[in-house]
Amino acid sequence: MIVDKKTVKQLTKNNNRGMELESSINNSNNFYNENNIAYISKRPTPIHVISSKDGIINRANYEKDSTLDYNGIYKQRYIEFEAKSTKSETSFPLGNIKKHQLEHLKRINELGGITFLIIEFSTLNKYFLLTYEKFSKFLGENSRKSLPIEYFLENCPEIKQGFNPRLYYLEALDSLTK
Amino acid sequence: MIVDKKTVKQLTKNNNRGMELESSINNSNNFYNENNIAYISKRPTPIHVISSKDGIINRANYEKDSTLDYNGIYKQRYIEFEAKSTKSETSFPLGNIKKHQLEHLKRINELGGITFLIIEFSTLNKYFLLTYEKFSKFLGENSRKSLPIEYFLENCPEIKQGFNPRLYYLEALDSLTK
């Protein structure tokens, strides 16, 4: 599916806001990879090439992907997650998660994969790991348009920050199974 | 890493030859996905965007990816593989598998992922599933520049062909663990 102009603007806006988050996750993924802990990488954005010559693309559109941003392997298991950032200090707007992403999370969860969201509250400088199971339960029990920060503080492990890796998100994941 | 002109021509040549194979695997992946058996998809080719406006890419290069063509989840496990096609009736030229792909296969295998190659002998209309373990063993014991068809017939499950899915490659994988 080709993404329309309005969606592209929205994507670009969200992407700029999320660039630092993406960079932190890439740094963490490199750390986990170099230390033989996991292999997780960002999926390239699919494009539809309209014209190209000698390996140079002269015209192309972005395409919408049904999968999430990151996938890979950890403790033999398939892992897939999405990372989102909000400037809000009080809640995470649920409009940030699209319907097709929710459906994909459900699909992978049913197949036995490990699925979650990494949510950054950029103004608060806090990161949380929200599993699909918890997220799905919340959506089933609430009709709210956002997830309050209190929900994260009470229900989700906070992701420890460091220099290398910048985000200890696999450690946050481990804390859920201990 | 930006791919040079010569590599691009080679990639394009290989890609054209492999288009039918890719289409068959995509068909199989759709079948497995729709029947809740697995979720496996082709990783988009990463590109480096040089110039873009309003979501239209005006200039970009292809980038080299360290991962393999396909990855996903099957029986809770992480799965990753590469598909290659040869017109030869007698052997599969090992030059088709690049050093960085071998290293990546090794890495994923060590992390407990399921890794293999799907090899098409297009003239013979035969497909085989070659696990990384077997491939690695062969490379360690031989200095040959190609894998003879006899090796495949003796050591690798042949992938059954059909209408939907076109290639029963997960069934070939299952046959190895029964």
Side-chain angles (χ1 to χ4, degrees), chain A residues 106-131:
Chain A
K106 185 167 183 275
R107 161 62 51 98
I108 298 300
N109 193 60
E110 283 168 355
L111 287 168
I114 301 171
T115 49
F116 55 87
L117 303 170
I118 291 179
I119 307 292
E120 174 191 33
F121 284 87
S122 59
T123 314
L124 302 172
N125 189 30
K126 278 186 181 295
Y127 301 82
F128 297 95
L129 190 144
L130 173 60
T131 60

PDB file of all heavy atoms in Angstrom, chain A residues 106-131:
ATOM      1  N   LYS A 106      -0.735  -9.075  17.860  1.00  0.00           N
ATOM      2  CA  LYS A 106      -1.590 -10.193  18.260  1.00  0.00           C
ATOM      3  C   LYS A 106      -1.166 -11.469  17.519  1.00  0.00           C
ATOM      4  O   LYS A 106      -1.007 -12.531  18.120  1.00  0.00           O
ATOM      5  CB  LYS A 106      -3.052  -9.841  17.927  1.00  0.00           C
ATOM      6  CG  LYS A 106      -4.073 -10.851  18.381  1.00  0.00           C
ATOM      7  CD  LYS A 106      -5.483 -10.235  18.284  1.00  0.00           C
ATOM      8  CE  LYS A 106      -6.544 -11.195  18.791  1.00  0.00           C
ATOM      9  NZ  LYS A 106      -6.999 -12.133  17.758  1.00  0.00           N
ATOM     10  N   ARG A 107      -0.966 -11.342  16.222  1.00  0.00           N
ATOM     11  CA  ARG A 107      -0.578 -12.481  15.392  1.00  0.00           C
ATOM     12  C   ARG A 107       0.720 -13.121  15.890  1.00  0.00           C
ATOM     13  O   ARG A 107       0.809 -14.333  16.088  1.00  0.00           O
ATOM     14  CB  ARG A 107      -0.436 -11.991  13.937  1.00  0.00           C
ATOM     15  CG  ARG A 107       0.367 -12.874  12.987  1.00  0.00           C
ATOM     16  CD  ARG A 107      -0.270 -14.238  12.813  1.00  0.00           C
ATOM     17  NE  ARG A 107      -1.668 -14.173  12.478  1.00  0.00           N
ATOM     18  CZ  ARG A 107      -2.164 -14.275  11.250  1.00  0.00           C
ATOM     19  NH1 ARG A 107      -1.351 -14.406  10.250  1.00  0.00           N
ATOM     20  NH2 ARG A 107      -3.461 -14.258  11.037  1.00  0.00           N
ATOM     21  N   ILE A 108       1.728 -12.283  16.120  1.00  0.00           N
ATOM     22  CA  ILE A 108       3.034 -12.802  16.543  1.00  0.00           C
ATOM     23  C   ILE A 108       2.952 -13.394  17.944  1.00  0.00           C
ATOM     24  O   ILE A 108       3.556 -14.423  18.244  1.00  0.00           O
ATOM     25  CB  ILE A 108       4.115 -11.693  16.484  1.00  0.00           C
ATOM     26  CG1 ILE A 108       4.291 -11.192  15.046  1.00  0.00           C
ATOM     27  CG2 ILE A 108       5.454 -12.191  17.026  1.00  0.00           C
ATOM     28  CD1 ILE A 108       4.726 -12.246  14.046  1.00  0.00           C
ATOM     29  N   ASN A 109       2.140 -12.753  18.798  1.00  0.00           N
ATOM     30  CA  ASN A 109       1.946 -13.261  20.151  1.00  0.00           C
ATOM     31  C   ASN A 109       1.313 -14.654  20.122  1.00  0.00           C
ATOM     32  O   ASN A 109       1.722 -15.560  20.851  1.00  0.00           O
ATOM     33  CB  ASN A 109       1.061 -12.284  20.927  1.00  0.00           C
ATOM     34  CG  ASN A 109       1.071 -12.551  22.403  1.00  0.00           C
ATOM     35  OD1 ASN A 109       2.113 -12.500  23.037  1.00  0.00           O
ATOM     36  ND2 ASN A 109      -0.094 -12.870  22.948  1.00  0.00           N
ATOM     37  N   GLU A 110       0.336 -14.841  19.254  1.00  0.00           N
ATOM     38  CA  GLU A 110      -0.339 -16.138  19.137  1.00  0.00           C
ATOM     39  C   GLU A 110       0.612 -17.224  18.632  1.00  0.00           C
ATOM     40  O   GLU A 110       0.450 -18.400  18.951  1.00  0.00           O
ATOM     41  CB  GLU A 110      -1.541 -16.024  18.194  1.00  0.00           C
ATOM     42  CG  GLU A 110      -2.743 -15.352  18.849  1.00  0.00           C
ATOM     43  CD  GLU A 110      -3.837 -14.975  17.845  1.00  0.00           C
ATOM     44  OE1 GLU A 110      -3.625 -15.142  16.632  1.00  0.00           O
ATOM     45  OE2 GLU A 110      -4.899 -14.502  18.289  1.00  0.00           O
ATOM     46  N   LEU A 111       1.582 -16.822  17.825  1.00  0.00           N
ATOM     47  CA  LEU A 111       2.555 -17.799  17.304  1.00  0.00           C
ATOM     48  C   LEU A 111       3.674 -18.087  18.315  1.00  0.00           C
ATOM     49  O   LEU A 111       4.574 -18.871  18.046  1.00  0.00           O
ATOM     50  CB  LEU A 111       3.158 -17.305  15.982  1.00  0.00           C
ATOM     51  CG  LEU A 111       2.250 -17.353  14.748  1.00  0.00           C
ATOM     52  CD1 LEU A 111       2.864 -16.569  13.596  1.00  0.00           C
ATOM     53  CD2 LEU A 111       1.997 -18.797  14.313  1.00  0.00           C
ATOM     54  N   GLY A 112       3.602 -17.439  19.485  1.00  0.00           N
ATOM     55  CA  GLY A 112       4.586 -17.721  20.531  1.00  0.00           C
ATOM     56  C   GLY A 112       5.789 -16.794  20.526  1.00  0.00           C
ATOM     57  O   GLY A 112       6.795 -17.073  21.173  1.00  0.00           O
ATOM     58  N   GLY A 113       5.698 -15.710  19.798  1.00  0.00           N
ATOM     59  CA  GLY A 113       6.786 -14.746  19.789  1.00  0.00           C
ATOM     60  C   GLY A 113       6.712 -13.819  20.995  1.00  0.00           C
ATOM     61  O   GLY A 113       5.686 -13.733  21.668  1.00  0.00           O
ATOM     62  N   ILE A 114       7.811 -13.161  21.279  1.00  0.00           N
ATOM     63  CA  ILE A 114       7.866 -12.171  22.362  1.00  0.00           C
ATOM     64  C   ILE A 114       7.610 -10.803  21.741  1.00  0.00           C
ATOM     65  O   ILE A 114       8.364 -10.361  20.876  1.00  0.00           O
ATOM     66  CB  ILE A 114       9.246 -12.191  23.050  1.00  0.00           C
ATOM     67  CG1 ILE A 114       9.526 -13.590  23.611  1.00  0.00           C
ATOM     68  CG2 ILE A 114       9.329 -11.131  24.137  1.00  0.00           C
ATOM     69  CD1 ILE A 114      10.951 -13.761  24.110  1.00  0.00           C
ATOM     70  N   THR A 115       6.526 -10.168  22.152  1.00  0.00           N
ATOM     71  CA  THR A 115       6.155  -8.888  21.542  1.00  0.00           C
ATOM     72  C   THR A 115       5.914  -7.832  22.615  1.00  0.00           C
ATOM     73  O   THR A 115       5.311  -8.109  23.650  1.00  0.00           O
ATOM     74  CB  THR A 115       4.855  -9.025  20.722  1.00  0.00           C
ATOM     75  OG1 THR A 115       3.879  -9.682  21.529  1.00  0.00           O
ATOM     76  CG2 THR A 115       5.083  -9.819  19.462  1.00  0.00           C
ATOM     77  N   PHE A 116       6.400  -6.638  22.345  1.00  0.00           N
ATOM     78  CA  PHE A 116       6.204  -5.553  23.310  1.00  0.00           C
ATOM     79  C   PHE A 116       6.396  -4.201  22.645  1.00  0.00           C
ATOM     80  O   PHE A 116       6.759  -4.108  21.463  1.00  0.00           O
ATOM     81  CB  PHE A 116       7.160  -5.718  24.499  1.00  0.00           C
ATOM     82  CG  PHE A 116       8.613  -5.819  24.132  1.00  0.00           C
ATOM     83  CD1 PHE A 116       9.397  -4.680  23.974  1.00  0.00           C
ATOM     84  CD2 PHE A 116       9.206  -7.061  23.941  1.00  0.00           C
ATOM     85  CE1 PHE A 116      10.738  -4.777  23.642  1.00  0.00           C
ATOM     86  CE2 PHE A 116      10.563  -7.171  23.608  1.00  0.00           C
ATOM     87  CZ  PHE A 116      11.320  -6.023  23.458  1.00  0.00           C
ATOM     88  N   LEU A 117       6.133  -3.155  23.427  1.00  0.00           N
ATOM     89  CA  LEU A 117       6.382  -1.788  22.995  1.00  0.00           C
ATOM     90  C   LEU A 117       7.400  -1.167  23.950  1.00  0.00           C
ATOM     91  O   LEU A 117       7.361  -1.441  25.153  1.00  0.00           O
ATOM     92  CB  LEU A 117       5.097  -0.961  23.055  1.00  0.00           C
ATOM     93  CG  LEU A 117       3.897  -1.473  22.247  1.00  0.00           C
ATOM     94  CD1 LEU A 117       2.634  -0.687  22.620  1.00  0.00           C
ATOM     95  CD2 LEU A 117       4.168  -1.354  20.759  1.00  0.00           C
ATOM     96  N   ILE A 118       8.300  -0.368  23.389  1.00  0.00           N
ATOM     97  CA  ILE A 118       9.154   0.467  24.235  1.00  0.00           C
ATOM     98  C   ILE A 118       8.583   1.874  24.135  1.00  0.00           C
ATOM     99  O   ILE A 118       8.460   2.423  23.039  1.00  0.00           O
ATOM    100  CB  ILE A 118      10.623   0.443  23.765  1.00  0.00           C
ATOM    101  CG1 ILE A 118      11.225  -0.948  24.018  1.00  0.00           C
ATOM    102  CG2 ILE A 118      11.448   1.530  24.477  1.00  0.00           C
ATOM    103  CD1 ILE A 118      12.669  -1.091  23.564  1.00  0.00           C
ATOM    104  N   ILE A 119       8.172   2.424  25.282  1.00  0.00           N
ATOM    105  CA  ILE A 119       7.554   3.749  25.294  1.00  0.00           C
ATOM    106  C   ILE A 119       8.501   4.730  25.985  1.00  0.00           C
ATOM    107  O   ILE A 119       8.886   4.517  27.141  1.00  0.00           O
ATOM    108  CB  ILE A 119       6.195   3.741  26.031  1.00  0.00           C
ATOM    109  CG1 ILE A 119       5.270   2.649  25.464  1.00  0.00           C
ATOM    110  CG2 ILE A 119       5.533   5.127  25.976  1.00  0.00           C
ATOM    111  CD1 ILE A 119       4.770   2.869  24.064  1.00  0.00           C
ATOM    112  N   GLU A 120       8.838   5.789  25.244  1.00  0.00           N
ATOM    113  CA  GLU A 120       9.696   6.827  25.827  1.00  0.00           C
ATOM    114  C   GLU A 120       8.846   8.046  26.213  1.00  0.00           C
ATOM    115  O   GLU A 120       8.102   8.577  25.376  1.00  0.00           O
ATOM    116  CB  GLU A 120      10.752   7.276  24.806  1.00  0.00           C
ATOM    117  CG  GLU A 120      11.590   8.463  25.328  1.00  0.00           C
ATOM    118  CD  GLU A 120      12.456   9.115  24.246  1.00  0.00           C
ATOM    119  OE1 GLU A 120      12.039   9.142  23.068  1.00  0.00           O
ATOM    120  OE2 GLU A 120      13.544   9.601  24.592  1.00  0.00           O
ATOM    121  N   PHE A 121       8.961   8.456  27.461  1.00  0.00           N
ATOM    122  CA  PHE A 121       8.419   9.760  27.877  1.00  0.00           C
ATOM    123  C   PHE A 121       9.613  10.712  27.837  1.00  0.00           C
ATOM    124  O   PHE A 121      10.382  10.795  28.806  1.00  0.00           O
ATOM    125  CB  PHE A 121       7.805   9.668  29.275  1.00  0.00           C
ATOM    126  CG  PHE A 121       6.461   8.988  29.301  1.00  0.00           C
ATOM    127  CD1 PHE A 121       6.375   7.609  29.410  1.00  0.00           C
ATOM    128  CD2 PHE A 121       5.284   9.731  29.193  1.00  0.00           C
ATOM    129  CE1 PHE A 121       5.139   6.976  29.418  1.00  0.00           C
ATOM    130  CE2 PHE A 121       4.045   9.101  29.205  1.00  0.00           C
ATOM    131  CZ  PHE A 121       3.966   7.724  29.315  1.00  0.00           C
ATOM    132  N   SER A 122       9.767  11.406  26.697  1.00  0.00           N
ATOM    133  CA  SER A 122      11.023  12.146  26.462  1.00  0.00           C
ATOM    134  C   SER A 122      11.213  13.305  27.442  1.00  0.00           C
ATOM    135  O   SER A 122      12.337  13.569  27.876  1.00  0.00           O
ATOM    136  CB  SER A 122      11.088  12.634  25.013  1.00  0.00           C
ATOM    137  OG  SER A 122       9.990  13.470  24.723  1.00  0.00           O
ATOM    138  N   THR A 123      10.144  13.988  27.823  1.00  0.00           N
ATOM    139  CA  THR A 123      10.276  15.116  28.751  1.00  0.00           C
ATOM    140  C   THR A 123      10.663  14.626  30.147  1.00  0.00           C
ATOM    141  O   THR A 123      11.457  15.260  30.845  1.00  0.00           O
ATOM    142  CB  THR A 123       8.957  15.916  28.825  1.00  0.00           C
ATOM    143  OG1 THR A 123       8.483  16.134  27.493  1.00  0.00           O
ATOM    144  CG2 THR A 123       9.141  17.237  29.528  1.00  0.00           C
ATOM    145  N   LEU A 124      10.126  13.443  30.510  1.00  0.00           N
ATOM    146  CA  LEU A 124      10.429  12.873  31.830  1.00  0.00           C
ATOM    147  C   LEU A 124      11.750  12.078  31.822  1.00  0.00           C
ATOM    148  O   LEU A 124      12.240  11.686  32.887  1.00  0.00           O
ATOM    149  CB  LEU A 124       9.297  11.935  32.284  1.00  0.00           C
ATOM    150  CG  LEU A 124       7.889  12.524  32.394  1.00  0.00           C
ATOM    151  CD1 LEU A 124       6.874  11.416  32.671  1.00  0.00           C
ATOM    152  CD2 LEU A 124       7.843  13.577  33.510  1.00  0.00           C
ATOM    153  N   ASN A 125      12.276  11.826  30.602  1.00  0.00           N
ATOM    154  CA  ASN A 125      13.458  10.976  30.433  1.00  0.00           C
ATOM    155  C   ASN A 125      13.277   9.602  31.085  1.00  0.00           C
ATOM    156  O   ASN A 125      14.106   9.119  31.843  1.00  0.00           O
ATOM    157  CB  ASN A 125      14.715  11.675  30.978  1.00  0.00           C
ATOM    158  CG  ASN A 125      16.001  10.923  30.625  1.00  0.00           C
ATOM    159  OD1 ASN A 125      16.065  10.262  29.578  1.00  0.00           O
ATOM    160  ND2 ASN A 125      16.997  10.992  31.491  1.00  0.00           N
ATOM    161  N   LYS A 126      12.108   9.006  30.773  1.00  0.00           N
ATOM    162  CA  LYS A 126      11.804   7.677  31.293  1.00  0.00           C
ATOM    163  C   LYS A 126      11.382   6.753  30.148  1.00  0.00           C
ATOM    164  O   LYS A 126      10.721   7.186  29.197  1.00  0.00           O
ATOM    165  CB  LYS A 126      10.650   7.755  32.315  1.00  0.00           C
ATOM    166  CG  LYS A 126      11.098   8.176  33.704  1.00  0.00           C
ATOM    167  CD  LYS A 126       9.943   8.085  34.693  1.00  0.00           C
ATOM    168  CE  LYS A 126      10.361   8.532  36.088  1.00  0.00           C
ATOM    169  NZ  LYS A 126      11.375   7.664  36.723  1.00  0.00           N
ATOM    170  N   TYR A 127      11.802   5.492  30.249  1.00  0.00           N
ATOM    171  CA  TYR A 127      11.464   4.492  29.232  1.00  0.00           C
ATOM    172  C   TYR A 127      10.816   3.298  29.922  1.00  0.00           C
ATOM    173  O   TYR A 127      11.300   2.849  30.962  1.00  0.00           O
ATOM    174  CB  TYR A 127      12.720   4.010  28.511  1.00  0.00           C
ATOM    175  CG  TYR A 127      13.496   5.095  27.815  1.00  0.00           C
ATOM    176  CD1 TYR A 127      14.384   5.907  28.532  1.00  0.00           C
ATOM    177  CD2 TYR A 127      13.363   5.311  26.454  1.00  0.00           C
ATOM    178  CE1 TYR A 127      15.113   6.899  27.896  1.00  0.00           C
ATOM    179  CE2 TYR A 127      14.081   6.300  25.812  1.00  0.00           C
ATOM    180  CZ  TYR A 127      14.957   7.088  26.538  1.00  0.00           C
ATOM    181  OH  TYR A 127      15.672   8.076  25.910  1.00  0.00           O
ATOM    182  N   PHE A 128       9.740   2.792  29.311  1.00  0.00           N
ATOM    183  CA  PHE A 128       9.052   1.638  29.882  1.00  0.00           C
ATOM    184  C   PHE A 128       8.902   0.530  28.848  1.00  0.00           C
ATOM    185  O   PHE A 128       8.838   0.796  27.640  1.00  0.00           O
ATOM    186  CB  PHE A 128       7.660   2.035  30.389  1.00  0.00           C
ATOM    187  CG  PHE A 128       7.684   3.025  31.504  1.00  0.00           C
ATOM    188  CD1 PHE A 128       7.550   4.387  31.242  1.00  0.00           C
ATOM    189  CD2 PHE A 128       7.857   2.607  32.817  1.00  0.00           C
ATOM    190  CE1 PHE A 128       7.578   5.320  32.266  1.00  0.00           C
ATOM    191  CE2 PHE A 128       7.882   3.533  33.860  1.00  0.00           C
ATOM    192  CZ  PHE A 128       7.747   4.893  33.590  1.00  0.00           C
ATOM    193  N   LEU A 129       8.839  -0.713  29.338  1.00  0.00           N
ATOM    194  CA  LEU A 129       8.566  -1.841  28.461  1.00  0.00           C
ATOM    195  C   LEU A 129       7.157  -2.340  28.726  1.00  0.00           C
ATOM    196  O   LEU A 129       6.827  -2.764  29.838  1.00  0.00           O
ATOM    197  CB  LEU A 129       9.592  -2.952  28.693  1.00  0.00           C
ATOM    198  CG  LEU A 129       9.571  -4.098  27.672  1.00  0.00           C
ATOM    199  CD1 LEU A 129      10.982  -4.600  27.403  1.00  0.00           C
ATOM    200  CD2 LEU A 129       8.694  -5.240  28.161  1.00  0.00           C
ATOM    201  N   LEU A 130       6.317  -2.253  27.703  1.00  0.00           N
ATOM    202  CA  LEU A 130       4.907  -2.644  27.819  1.00  0.00           C
ATOM    203  C   LEU A 130       4.680  -3.884  26.959  1.00  0.00           C
ATOM    204  O   LEU A 130       4.762  -3.820  25.732  1.00  0.00           O
ATOM    205  CB  LEU A 130       4.031  -1.476  27.333  1.00  0.00           C
ATOM    206  CG  LEU A 130       2.522  -1.703  27.201  1.00  0.00           C
ATOM    207  CD1 LEU A 130       1.896  -2.083  28.530  1.00  0.00           C
ATOM    208  CD2 LEU A 130       1.854  -0.454  26.621  1.00  0.00           C
ATOM    209  N   THR A 131       4.408  -5.030  27.591  1.00  0.00           N
ATOM    210  CA  THR A 131       4.197  -6.251  26.815  1.00  0.00           C
ATOM    211  C   THR A 131       2.853  -6.178  26.091  1.00  0.00           C
ATOM    212  O   THR A 131       1.928  -5.483  26.520  1.00  0.00           O
ATOM    213  CB  THR A 131       4.173  -7.513  27.715  1.00  0.00           C
ATOM    214  OG1 THR A 131       3.098  -7.377  28.651  1.00  0.00           O
ATOM    215  CG2 THR A 131       5.486  -7.667  28.461  1.00  0.00           C
TER     216      THR A 131
END
